[in-house]
Amino acid sequence: ALISKGPPYRKLADSLSACRVLVVGAGGIGCELLKNLVLTGFKNIEVIDLDTIDVSNLNRQFLFQKKHVGKSKAQVAKESVLQFCPTANITAYHDSIMNPEYNVEFFRNFMLVMNALDNRAARNHVNRMCLAADIPLIESGTAGYLGQVTVIKKGLTECYECQPKPTQKTFPGCTIRNTPSEPIHCIVWAKYLFNQLFGEEDADQEVSPDTADPELTWNPADTEARATASDQDGDIKRVSTKDWARSTGYDTVKLFNKLFKDDIQYLLTMDKLWKKRKAPLPLDWLEIQKLVPANIQQLTCPQEVTGTGLKDQQVLGVAGYSQLFSRSVETLRSMLADKGDGAELVWDKDDPPAMDFVTAAANLRMHIFSMNMKSRFDIKSMAGNIIPAIATTNAVIAGLIVLEALKILSGDVEQCRTIFLNKQPNPRKKLLVPCALDPPSANCYVCASKPEVTVKLNVHKTLVLALQDKILKEKFGMVAPDVQIEDGKGTILISSEEGETEANNSKFLSDFGIRHGSRLQVDDFLQDYTLLVNVIHCEDLEKDVEFEVVGDAPDKAPTPPSAQEDKNVANGNKDSAEPSTSSKAPAEQDDVLIVDSDEEEPSSSTMDVRMESGGHKRKLHDAETGEASAKRQRLDQPLAADEEDDDIIALD
């Protein structure tokens, strides 16, 4: 089709067949994208994905069939796409893009990189690798009916991390089932459990240990064998959870020990999962009951507590939540029996027994995985309605990715746009809304010429290991950081070379002379990334808050006279709720949570922002400060967000 339109298109067609492109992710968007690429004329494609195919993928990832369950997504996607175009040269990697093997030199082999990812850490990493290699990146994401595509080019556009991000809103199923690390993971697990026991069972909402977790092995054949074996070995996770529970008469003790003891002990046998994580601690019903005080019923029974707000904001101990779990199971069992055979309950956050069950189950799981437990009020605020993944959304977004790729390969990068797919047509009857790309942020702690941030923490209580894992790796997305203290001696605090500085991990920052105003030079050689960290010592951080990232220059740590005094700190505060590469989301989008096994979250939530006439966005007021923030110029008028979208948790 391109050749038939004349010389310019013939030149582009030749470019497509010659250029090498990298697709990161072979899930919902990735499947559609690979198909589109070969049908458009791309001949040299490399695709990488660590995940294996699950039954729940088959309703929207059309390159996969039932016979492929347990196999590598990347490999099967390659085989399926070659049926569309047998002459294409496709290389598949069943691996993590964050493996050090895929360094800057690897990325420089490509003319273009396209993301179809499902997690923030990998998105951040690919963003940095493309910046380091100076390769254009097309970022994308979907959430239900909403979607977005944007282009990232070093020096010309914002990078993925130029704007503050909210807490991650999309989580792989193996995280929910095997390795939860945040309260939201446990809350989603508890909601899954409610449906498995009392509601409509869904293959996407399995709660037992995932024996096919791709992290357990790097061998695709071994992974497939694990998935197949779990169908044959009588593993309880392949038996209907509801049928099993009914066979026990919804026995509280059996349910408790199965969920919080037996399944956890089984997880502990997956020793590879716990080499770099704290292992979970199983709970035993009889042991827990020894901790139950005589007045536990008075402490936790809703009828005995006055002041609903105070009750909802209490955080009970493990014994209290075990009793709440027991009572809620009994109540829900009775409600199910009253409805008759074959009946199902529907989870509702305003239904007290259902909310009690999720609160108890989520908190018990949080305790097992060494997280601070949450109040009923907090858990209720994080829960909500369920929306499905939409295959058509993935198809639309994949098509838009290819259109942006054609612009880049034609040399028309200035014509590239951020494009939003809305749920409903805007006043101009458009579902697709293009926006001009924003320039790089001068204060970005990733793509600025001299990235710099300020971190507020207690130097007497913060361990070197916490600095490495929670601040540098988790918060700032580094993979293998090296840290040097700017103390005139060049003291090495953290080394990425195994064994060199492990003795420092259990020591506090203050043990190395780090104090208010200290500066740390952090390098990640894999990402070709350097960050200067200014330390502010603070002894009055909020409860359970280990550190804060400061975003305002007046709060920066003192700097030496030679440093620029007016440099702004790059990152926003810890509570920011912007998942965007671009401008901020409207306040009502802050509560949207997308939690699924493989679906892609939008890389921006500016899909539904009201416009003033003339094509310019209003300045939306920040929910906390009340200050207005400037927005990018729209090329069309999008529709305002629906009121009903508040408090949505999308579970794929």
Side-chain angles (χ1 to χ4, degrees):
L2 290 173
I3 294 176
S4 66
K5 293 187 178 182
Y9 294 95
R10 186 176 295 108
K11 183 179 179 181
L12 176 57
D14 292 341
S15 176
L16 297 187
S17 62
C19 75
R20 292 178 67 183
V21 297
L22 174 65
V23 175
V24 187
I29 291 178
C31 281
E32 295 282 351
L33 177 58
L34 288 167
K35 176 261 297 179
N36 288 349
L37 289 173
V38 296
L39 293 180
T40 304
F42 288 84
K43 298 292 186 181
N44 297 288
I45 304 168
E46 300 190 21
V47 57
I48 182 168
D49 196 312
L50 174 62
D51 207 1
T52 54
I53 299 164
D54 188 77
V55 174
S56 62
N57 302 146
L58 303 183
N59 70 336
R60 62 192 177 279
Q61 297 175 21
F62 74 101
L63 296 181
F64 310 140
Q65 301 174 30
K66 189 174 182 180
K67 65 183 179 181
H68 296 137
V69 170
K71 294 183 179 180
S72 161
K73 282 188 175 181
Q75 186 61 39
V76 174
K78 167 190 171 179
E79 295 168 0
S80 299
V81 166
L82 284 175
Q83 297 180 42
F84 291 95
C85 182
T87 60
N89 177 27
I90 303 176
T91 303
Y93 303 91
H94 179 67
D95 208 344
S96 168
I97 192 61
M98 298 177 74
N99 188 318
E101 177 181 336
Y102 308 108
N103 54 23
V104 174
E105 291 305 315
F106 172 80
F107 277 82
R108 285 180 179 149
N109 291 324
F110 305 100
M111 290 185 65
L112 182 62
V113 177
M114 289 165 269
N115 266 354
L117 284 163
D118 64 0
N119 68 88
R120 171 81 38 75
R123 276 191 166 109
N124 289 346
H125 181 71
V126 174
N127 173 62
R128 296 178 188 190
M129 299 305 287
C130 287
L131 290 172
D134 197 7
I135 301 298
L137 168 65
I138 302 179
E139 180 60 79
S140 64
T142 63
Y145 293 100
L146 305 178
Q148 176 193 352
V149 174
T150 193
V151 174
I152 297 170
K153 182 68 173 73
K154 182 178 181 179
L156 294 178
T157 73
E158 282 187 334
C159 79
Y160 179 69
E161 297 169 84
C162 271
Q163 296 294 337
K165 302 293 190 296
T167 303
Q168 185 187 333
K169 296 173 167 53
T170 304
F171 309 102
C174 53
T175 299
I176 301 297
R177 295 165 62 180
N178 289 2
T179 54
S181 59
E182 300 176 19
I184 185 63
H185 300 158
C186 300
I187 294 169
V188 172
W189 178 88
K191 290 187 65 179
Y192 284 176
L193 179 61
F194 177 91
N195 285 333
Q196 291 290 327
L197 291 175
F198 308 107
E200 181 180 0
E201 292 183 280
D202 188 330
D204 285 356
Q205 299 184 2
E206 184 57 72
V207 295
S208 295
D210 182 4
T211 58
D213 189 330
E215 192 176 342
L216 293 174
T217 175
W218 294 97
N219 187 332
D222 191 10
T223 302
E224 182 180 355
R226 284 177 179 271
T228 306
S230 64
D231 279 325
Q232 301 170 349
D233 63 8
D235 190 324
I236 196 168
K237 82 183 187 67
R238 293 298 179 181
V239 177
S240 167
T241 305
K242 186 181 293 183
D243 289 344
W244 175 80
R246 282 175 173 163
S247 71
T248 70
Y250 285 94
D251 184 286
T252 298
V253 177
K254 290 182 178 179
L255 279 174
F256 186 97
N257 283 335
K258 189 269 179 189
L259 296 166
F260 305 115
K261 179 183 177 184
D262 299 343
D263 281 357
I264 303 304
Q265 289 176 335
Y266 186 79
L267 279 175
L268 289 172
T269 66
M270 303 179 185
D271 55 330
K272 287 188 178 181
L273 295 178
W274 317 115
K275 286 185 177 180
K276 296 183 179 180
R277 297 184 179 92
K278 185 174 182 179
L281 300 173
L283 295 176
D284 181 87
W285 175 266
L286 293 178
E287 293 298 320
I288 294 297
Q289 298 319 298
K290 296 176 183 178
L291 305 175
V292 178
N295 64 341
I296 188 68
Q297 295 293 333
Q298 293 183 0
L299 289 174
T300 63
C301 183
Q303 289 81 4
E304 300 277 345
V305 179
T306 58
T308 303
L310 293 175
K311 173 180 72 69
D312 279 1
Q313 293 179 42
Q314 291 177 344
V315 177
L316 311 177
V318 175
Y321 284 123
S322 69
Q323 292 298 305
L324 185 61
F325 177 82
S326 176
R327 287 200 309 276
S328 62
V329 168
E330 281 296 313
T331 303
L332 293 168
R333 180 194 62 78
S334 298
M335 292 170 62
L336 194 61
D338 292 343
K339 285 180 172 287
D341 293 339
E344 296 171 345
L345 301 181
V346 178
W347 190 84
D348 185 342
K349 65 181 180 181
D350 295 318
D351 178 33
M355 195 64 234
D356 285 345
F357 176 85
V358 169
T359 299
N363 272 309
L364 290 168
R365 191 163 173 88
M366 287 181 217
H367 178 80
I368 287 170
F369 286 90
S370 303
M371 292 176 238
N372 293 320
M373 295 188 287
K374 298 289 184 180
S375 69
R376 191 176 189 272
F377 176 84
D378 289 336
I379 290 177
K380 185 174 181 179
S381 70
M382 299 172 75
N385 299 317
I386 297 175
I387 60 174
I390 309 297
T392 310
T393 308
N394 291 337
V396 172
I397 293 303
L400 293 172
I401 294 173
V402 174
L403 292 177
E404 294 305 303
L406 294 177
K407 295 177 187 177
I408 293 171
L409 295 175
S410 299
D412 295 328
V413 178
E414 66 279 1
Q415 296 300 318
C416 291
R417 299 286 182 262
T418 294
I419 305 173
F420 300 100
L421 173 63
N422 283 333
K423 186 176 181 180
Q424 297 177 357
N426 66 7
R428 295 184 182 182
K429 300 183 179 180
K430 299 287 184 67
L431 280 174
L432 296 175
V433 182
C435 290
L437 295 171
D438 284 333
S441 168
N443 295 328
C444 178
Y445 67 77
V446 174
C447 68
S449 58
K450 294 183 179 179
E452 183 173 354
V453 294
T454 297
V455 178
K456 184 185 297 185
L457 48 77
N458 189 327
V459 297
H460 303 301
K461 294 183 178 180
T462 302
L463 295 172
V464 172
L465 184 63
L467 171 67
Q468 173 184 277
D469 291 347
K470 296 187 177 180
I471 300 178
L472 300 180
K473 290 186 176 181
E474 187 176 323
K475 177 64 181 177
F476 295 127
M478 295 187 177
V479 176
D482 292 279
V483 181
Q484 178 177 311
I485 306 172
E486 291 195 350
D487 56 1
K489 305 173 186 176
T491 303
I492 303 298
L493 184 65
I494 298 172
S495 172
S496 58
E497 295 295 329
E498 188 173 355
E500 281 194 3
T501 56
E502 286 184 6
N504 296 346
N505 289 347
S506 59
K507 297 179 181 179
F508 295 106
L509 298 186
S510 57
D511 295 336
F512 297 88
I514 297 174
R515 59 186 187 277
H516 184 81
S518 292
R519 292 157 69 88
L520 309 176
Q521 184 78 25
V522 187
D523 295 286
D524 190 314
F525 292 105
L526 173 61
Q527 298 179 341
D528 193 16
Y529 174 50
T530 299
L531 178 67
L532 182 63
V533 178
N534 298 294
V535 176
I536 291 182
H537 173 63
C538 180
E539 298 186 355
D540 57 354
L541 291 170
E542 295 181 13
K543 183 181 178 182
D544 299 330
V545 174
E546 295 184 59
F547 68 93
E548 292 181 3
V549 177
V550 181
D552 297 322
D555 292 333
K556 272 186 61 175
T559 58
S562 59
Q564 296 179 5
E565 293 294 312
D566 59 348
K567 185 185 293 183
N568 290 326
V569 178
N571 197 37
N573 64 52
K574 65 183 179 65
D575 296 320
S576 64
E578 326 317 325
S580 176
T581 62
S582 51
S583 14
K584 295 181 180 178
E588 55 264 37
Q589 288 293 327
D590 291 354
D591 294 327
V592 178
L593 301 177
I594 304 106
V595 183
D596 57 18
S597 59
D598 63 12
E599 198 57 29
E600 295 73 20
E601 66 173 323
S603 53
S604 175
S605 59
T606 53
M607 306 172 189
D608 297 294
V609 182
R610 294 186 187 273
M611 293 257 310
E612 299 221 48
S613 59
H616 293 280
K617 291 192 242 176
R618 292 193 185 116
K619 290 186 176 181
L620 296 181
H621 288 269
D622 184 84
E624 295 184 14
T625 65
E627 295 180 356
S629 57
K631 306 298 175 183
R632 71 168 67 185
Q633 184 181 15
R634 283 287 174 103
L635 302 182
D636 205 342
Q637 183 175 0
L639 186 70
D642 290 343
E643 294 292 337
E644 302 82 44
D645 285 343
D646 288 1
D647 299 317
I648 291 176
I649 296 184
L651 304 175
D652 181 18

